[in-house]
Amino acid sequence: MEAEGVEIISSTSSAPSQFVHEANGIYAVVPITSKFKAKDGVFQVEGSLIAISTDGGQNWTFVDSTGKDQTELKKVIPSLDKLKLPPEKEPVKVTN
């Protein structure tokens, strides 16, 4: 992104939801709001992370699902169908 002149200004997460417990781990959806500075201005993007724990919640790995191909995500996260990811939203320009 930096090579294209895009810089992350901030990223804020909300409380996780939709916990799915499976034999191989725990999965949850974490909503995020990020602001990016680009040559055309500052944009806000709403998206989500998929939180994954394979040790009962002691440690977590996060996968950014924003703008990702659902078919590709399913290859990495077999339980994806059990999670209801929020619909994709277009970035919103917040300043010039």
Side-chain angles (χ1 to χ4, degrees):
M1 288 176 36
E2 287 180 9
E4 296 176 9
V6 178
E7 175 186 346
I8 298 173
I9 297 173
S10 66
S11 187
T12 307
S13 62
S14 299
S17 64
Q18 302 181 49
F19 287 91
V20 173
H21 295 261
E22 299 244 325
N24 60 342
I26 305 169
Y27 302 86
V29 175
V30 180
I32 57 168
T33 302
S34 301
K35 288 187 180 177
F36 296 89
K37 182 178 179 182
K39 62 182 177 182
D40 298 335
V42 176
F43 295 84
Q44 180 170 299
V45 178
E46 293 183 29
S48 58
L49 301 174
I50 300 170
I52 305 165
S53 176
T54 57
D55 60 5
Q58 294 296 317
N59 295 287
W60 293 87
T61 300
F62 298 89
V63 176
D64 186 358
S65 64
T66 307
K68 303 294 187 292
D69 180 358
Q70 299 294 310
T71 305
E72 290 299 313
L73 281 175
K74 285 179 192 177
K75 291 178 185 176
V76 179
I77 306 168
S79 298
L80 186 66
D81 288 336
K82 295 181 181 180
L83 298 171
K84 293 182 179 132
L85 298 176
E88 292 289 324
K89 293 183 179 179
E90 291 293 319
V92 175
K93 190 172 186 177
V94 292
T95 63
N96 287 329

